Amino acid sequence: MIKITFINAEGDAHEVEAETGLGLLEVAQAAGMPLEGTCEGQMACSTCHVIIDKDWFDKLPPAVEDEEDMLDLASGARRTSRLSCQILLTEELDGLVVRIPAESRNMQGV
C-alpha cells in the first residue's frame, strides 16, 4: 500500500492508502474526490484533470501527446497538470500529493 494525499479546492488535505497498480482516478473516486473521468481512460475529455505537486511531477512518466492535447482543453490547467486516468500508481509514487482544481466536476454533483 502507498499513501496519496489529495488536496481539494478549499485546501483540505485527504490522505488515502492505495494498492500499487491502481489508477489515480479510481483511487480519487473511491476516496470521494470530485473527479468525473467520464471518458473511461480513452482521453476524450479532461474531466479527470488534476494538478500534481511540483515535487512529484518529474517522478511521473511523461504525458503522451494525446494527453497534452486534452490538457489544453482543461479548465484551470497548470504546468504540472495531468489526467488522473493516465497515472498508474507505483511504489515510487508513495507520498504523492495531488490537487483537485476548483474547476473539477463530479457526476454526483460534489
Side-chain angles (χ1 to χ4, degrees):
M1 299 291 272
I2 64 171
K3 292 184 181 178
I4 307 293
T5 301
F6 292 99
I7 302 174
N8 66 19
E10 291 78 33
D12 301 320
H14 184 74
E15 187 176 279
V16 300
E17 288 190 345
E19 293 182 32
T20 58
L22 292 176
L24 184 60
L25 175 60
E26 65 185 303
V27 172
Q29 288 177 331
M33 297 294 105
L35 292 175
E36 268 189 19
T38 55
C39 73
E40 298 180 0
Q42 300 302 309
M43 286 191 285
C45 67
S46 58
T47 59
C48 68
H49 158 237
V50 293
I51 301 168
I52 305 297
D53 184 272
K54 63 180 171 40
D55 295 332
W56 288 95
F57 186 75
D58 291 333
K59 296 179 184 182
L60 297 174
V64 296
E65 188 175 337
D66 287 344
E67 181 180 358
E68 289 178 359
D69 289 346
M70 286 296 102
L71 285 168
D72 287 341
L73 304 173
S75 181
R78 307 285 188 274
R79 185 188 69 76
T80 60
S81 291
R82 293 293 301 268
L83 298 180
S84 63
C85 68
Q86 298 301 302
I87 299 172
L88 292 179
L89 300 177
T90 63
E91 289 291 331
E92 293 79 24
L93 296 178
D94 187 23
L96 178 66
V97 178
V98 178
R99 294 187 181 276
I100 308 297
E103 297 86 359
S104 66
R105 300 186 314 251
N106 183 282
M107 54 194 142
Q108 287 87 27
V110 176

